[in-house]
Amino acid sequence: MMKDNTSLMSGTDSLRPSDFIRSIITEDIKAKKYEGRVHTRFPPEPNGYLHIGHAKSICLNFGIAAEFGGLCNLRFDDTNPTKEEVEYVESIKEDVRWLGFDWDDRMFFASDYFDRLHSYAVQLIRDGRAYVCDLSPREIREYRGTLTEPGKDSPYRNRSVEENLDLFERMRAGEFADGCRTLRAKIDMKSGNLNMRDPVIYRILHATHHRTGDKWCIYPMYDFAHCFSDSLEKITHSICTLEFEDHRPLYDWFLDTLGVYHPRQIEFARLNLSYTVLSKRKLIELVAQKHVTGWDDPRMPTISGLRRRGYTPESIRNFCERIGVAKRDSIVDMALLEFCIREDLNKRAPRVMAVLNPLRVVIDNYPEDLVEEVEAVNNPEDSGMGTRKVPFSRIIYIEREDFREDPPKQFFRLAPGREVRLRYAYFIKCVGVVKDEKTGEVTELHCTYDPQTRGGDAHDGRKVKATLHWVSAAHAIEAELRLYNLLFTEADPVSVEEGGDFISSLNPESLVTLRSCRVEPCLANAAGGSFYQFERQGYFCVDPDSSGGSMVFNRTVTLRDTWAKVEKKQNK
Ligand code: ATP
Ligand code: MG
């Protein structure tokens, strides 16, 4: 699954084909096809928000254009007025830009071409290559045949050109109800390829379009609109996903039959990612049925969800480069996506201390009114990020799970009588445990500290086996932390669908909210979107729900937890 990193290429002299698409393009340039131009497009249908699969397509199309000194258009495939919305158009623009790509002044809409597409259709009728069919959608399906049986000609197939022109014009003028007539290409009802069995090219739909309003009540089908949009924009390489391989003969037929400029369609395998779904229909269902809080819920595989979760554009581009492009479908492990964001944030995220499940610790021999400031390193991976001062005082919080009254083997953290290091501060030793009389729950620890260990090292050279993070009780701020886990419990939620429903494999623990966490005071006014490593806990970013001193952080991804692994092994 992992692929060699291909460095970004620039200029045409250093062209090194690194996958089959780039090889094809390199060959085409050599052969002076399309005068050596490279012009791609990213053609989303504005019927949902973009997801990580789209990111693969965006990186591929915009990436190839950049590498080969070409251009990439953003084109909205807005041929279905009933499912498309302006909100989606705006979100798509924002997401493509955020990923780091720019279409300059080349933003187009298939609806820009409705007049042209209509005249292409009229031309096909004139040439005897299209006809108006009165079969209902159900009848059309019945006449189409199957993979093993040929189709049957429509009884309307041999209408005269004049009658077809007249009927098509009356379809356009709004004389007929939805679904009662279509315009179909006259190709071959016996073709081995179902797409070639007189496909519908226009349908009647009395619906208001988000851009053309009520001008049209007939709309072109995707296959018809797509190839001509590519042609009109002088696209050279029309890169799409594998399910369009069977549509390629039709793509070619339309363009050849009308004798217009002909781009080359190339198909690649779509991205599938484990433990999630990447189909807009399913994502819409998650949003509509409120299984998530919205398209940008940090558990969603959408670009906006990943952004809110704390993913960076760099990490997503890097992921897309790593997975590469192939001709065969496969499922990429979610762990690879997580690896990519860890790798990026490790270099860039400032380290801070945050306690998720606070346990109060009183340092008995520390002066009551003393507050010291200890110096903490902001990022051990980047000394340029400097240091900060963290207040330390007599009462602190540590992580509840960093203490065990009866420590198992290999648990090296705090326990009665044991000494550990407080990061950047002192060694402390546990001398007392206070418990709730009724529940037996540990409510407070008493410790002593060694003033000679300031900064975290003992002058006599004695060692401790654990270093804990902490915050000063009087200085820390309370925060809400949202811990995200996989959205689904099944690696392939869709495969469960037979007989059941992918919704049934939603992970009930995909979001765990902790409301009384304590974080370092320096986070009091952290800006929305800024990211941090909470030491020993993971990478977190500020959620937009934060407001005036009440901070909310999203866990982007955990750090690798070695203890969890050890414990798992022990339990086996
Ligand atoms: P979905 O199946 O999620 O509804 P779609 O293919 O209908 O997606 P479009 O808006 O038509 O979505 O897609 C725009 C472009 O993104 C197309 O070129 C499509 O091939 C590509 N694309 C969509 N999903 C993926 C994916 N999972 N991996 C790679 N490319 C994708
Ligand atoms: Mg589509």
Side-chain angles (χ1 to χ4, degrees):
M1 182 186 56
M2 292 268 249
K3 217 186 124 279
D4 282 350
N5 262 359
T6 50
S7 55
L8 274 184
M9 298 173 279
S10 59
T12 37
D13 26 295
S14 60
L15 284 182
R16 265 178 298 120
S18 47
D19 57 57
F20 77 96
I21 297 181
R22 288 167 169 91
S23 304
I24 290 173
I25 294 176
T26 306
E27 287 305 309
D28 284 351
I29 292 173
K30 268 201 211 131
K32 297 270 180 337
K33 224 179 149 185
Y34 309 114
E35 309 93 44
R37 284 184 310 119
V38 174
H39 199 151
T40 57
R41 84 289 171 264
F42 171 64
E45 184 181 348
N47 61 349
Y49 280 59
L50 297 182
H51 54 62
I52 183 82
H54 293 114
K56 175 177 177 176
S57 176
I58 293 167
C59 290
L60 189 60
N61 280 295
F62 281 94
I64 282 178
E67 288 161 35
F68 289 90
L71 299 170
C72 180
N73 296 356
L74 173 63
R75 183 200 316 138
F76 291 97
D77 245 316
D78 55 349
T79 51
N80 183 354
T82 59
K83 289 192 178 160
E84 292 156 3
E85 285 175 33
V86 178
E87 177 195 349
Y88 297 140
V89 171
E90 290 310 313
S91 75
I92 289 170
K93 284 157 66 178
E94 183 184 357
D95 290 350
V96 174
R97 250 189 236 115
W98 178 79
L99 275 175
F101 299 103
D102 191 350
W103 53 87
D104 300 312
D105 56 353
R106 296 178 314 282
M107 177 176 76
F108 303 110
F109 291 82
S111 55
D112 293 341
Y113 311 131
F114 280 176
D115 285 307
R116 304 287 294 268
L117 294 170
H118 179 259
S119 23
Y120 285 137
V122 169
Q123 190 59 47
L124 282 179
I125 297 174
R126 290 212 171 98
D127 296 344
R129 312 304 288 265
Y131 61 97
V132 173
C133 182
D134 300 359
L135 294 180
S136 68
R138 191 177 51 83
E139 288 165 328
I140 291 184
R141 262 197 308 279
E142 283 165 11
Y143 276 69
R144 188 183 293 135
T146 63
L147 283 172
T148 50
E149 280 168 63
K152 269 193 309 185
D153 283 0
S154 160
Y156 307 99
R157 199 169 197 261
N158 293 315
R159 278 180 160 149
S160 69
V161 169
E162 289 64 37
E163 190 183 3
N164 281 322
L165 286 173
D166 174 60
L167 284 171
F168 188 50
E169 172 51 24
R170 286 162 61 195
M171 278 170 64
R172 194 199 60 75
E175 264 187 51
F176 310 121
D178 289 3
C180 70
R181 283 200 166 83
T182 55
L183 181 72
R184 298 175 66 179
K186 195 173 187 174
I187 309 180
D188 178 8
M189 288 309 288
K190 309 214 159 33
S191 169
N193 184 335
L194 291 167
N195 295 302
M196 300 300 273
R197 295 185 187 171
D198 291 9
V200 172
I201 59 186
Y202 263 91
R203 57 178 171 160
I204 303 172
L205 209 58
H206 292 269
T208 305
H209 187 278
H210 74 115
R211 297 189 79 241
T212 57
D214 293 322
K215 176 174 177 195
W216 298 92
C217 62
I218 53 170
Y219 289 93
M221 301 302 286
Y222 174 85
D223 282 324
F224 187 73
H226 195 83
C227 60
F228 290 115
S229 302
D230 281 350
S231 174
L232 289 165
E233 290 173 19
K234 295 280 180 290
I235 299 302
T236 58
H237 300 85
S238 178
I239 302 169
C240 60
T241 40
L242 275 184
E243 68 271 22
F244 291 103
E245 195 166 16
D246 289 346
H247 296 239
R248 187 173 0 115
L250 182 56
Y251 184 100
D252 294 338
W253 186 91
F254 282 134
L255 298 174
D256 289 343
T257 302
L258 281 170
V260 295
Y261 172 86
H262 195 152
R264 175 172 187 173
Q265 176 177 309
I266 308 170
E267 308 86 18
F268 70 100
R270 62 171 45 230
L271 170 67
N272 299 300
L273 195 57
S274 64
Y275 296 100
T276 192
V277 291
L278 293 183
S279 125
K280 275 186 270 186
R281 186 177 63 76
K282 295 198 169 64
L283 295 174
I284 285 173
E285 206 173 318
L286 292 176
V287 174
Q289 297 180 5
K290 300 205 172 5
H291 295 293
V292 294
T293 58
W295 285 100
D296 70 342
D297 185 302
R299 291 166 292 181
M300 290 282 272
T302 50
I303 310 278
S304 49
L306 291 166
R307 175 166 62 231
R308 185 163 175 183
R309 172 87 169 243
Y311 274 77
T312 59
E314 291 82 356
S315 66
I316 295 177
R317 292 202 303 262
N318 199 264
F319 170 76
C320 292
E321 201 177 306
R322 275 201 162 89
I323 57 175
V325 284
K327 264 272 180 205
R328 189 130 21 100
D329 276 314
S330 64
I331 299 184
V332 173
D333 204 316
M334 182 65 97
L336 181 62
L337 184 60
E338 295 186 341
F339 171 84
C340 290
I341 185 62
R342 262 191 213 108
E343 184 185 53
D344 190 27
L345 292 180
N346 179 44
K347 284 179 276 173
R348 301 200 286 159
R351 273 58 168 170
V352 293
M353 293 190 283
V355 177
L356 274 53
N357 293 297
L359 175 60
R360 202 176 127 97
V361 176
V362 181
I363 303 169
D364 294 334
N365 62 336
Y366 194 88
E368 294 238 5
D369 46 4
L370 182 60
V371 178
E372 289 180 277
E373 289 196 312
V374 298
E375 191 164 36
V377 175
N378 286 334
N379 188 345
E381 300 286 320
D382 179 2
S383 57
M385 288 173 70
T387 60
R388 69 186 183 287
K389 303 276 192 218
V390 183
F392 183 83
S393 65
R394 186 166 185 268
I395 302 177
I396 61 169
Y397 289 112
I398 64 164
E399 209 67 70
R400 196 162 268 282
E401 64 173 31
D402 281 342
F403 173 79
R404 291 279 178 99
E405 200 178 6
D406 190 10
K409 231 171 123 188
Q410 289 195 62
F411 183 92
F412 299 117
R413 308 175 215 169
L414 200 57
R418 188 181 287 172
E419 189 173 50
V420 296
R421 174 188 296 111
L422 292 177
R423 184 103 159 120
Y424 303 120
Y426 295 100
F427 284 10
I428 55 167
K429 186 176 193 170
C430 179
V431 295
V433 181
V434 181
K435 291 194 210 172
D436 183 301
E437 276 176 20
K438 282 199 204 104
T439 63
E441 191 194 32
V442 175
T443 55
E444 185 176 287
L445 300 180
H446 284 264
C447 290
T448 55
Y449 86 117
D450 176 357
Q452 308 269 29
T453 55
R454 173 145 190 190
D457 282 306
H459 67 140
D460 61 5
R462 78 180 186 275
K463 299 276 184 239
V464 288
K465 280 195 170 154
T467 301
L468 310 188
H469 62 277
W470 53 273
V471 292
S472 164
H475 303 89
I477 59 164
E478 205 169 317
E480 174 177 323
L481 265 51
R482 297 178 183 164
L483 310 185
Y484 299 104
N485 299 306
L486 295 167
L487 185 51
F488 291 93
T489 53
E490 298 290 334
D492 183 5
V494 179
S495 73
V496 195
E497 215 181 3
E498 304 348 297
D501 177 7
F502 77 103
I503 297 291
S504 66
S505 51
L506 275 170
N507 178 5
E509 280 164 27
S510 60
L511 167 61
V512 176
T513 304
L514 301 177
R515 290 211 167 72
S516 38
C517 310
R518 298 292 199 289
V519 302
E520 264 187 48
C522 70
L523 293 178
N525 296 303
S530 45
F531 45 75
Y532 299 89
Q533 184 194 99
F534 289 180
E535 293 208 30
R536 301 175 61 223
Q537 294 294 0
Y539 293 99
F540 286 75
C541 72
V542 178
D543 188 84
D545 284 348
S546 303
S547 69
S550 108
M551 300 298 293
V552 179
F553 294 90
N554 295 321
R555 184 172 71 194
T556 309
V557 68
T558 58
L559 304 173
R560 260 150 304 184
D561 183 356
T562 46
W563 171 247
K565 271 188 207 142
V566 172
E567 197 156 50
K568 226 181 186 170
K569 256 192 213 145
Q570 283 182 345
N571 289 342
K572 268 185 189 163

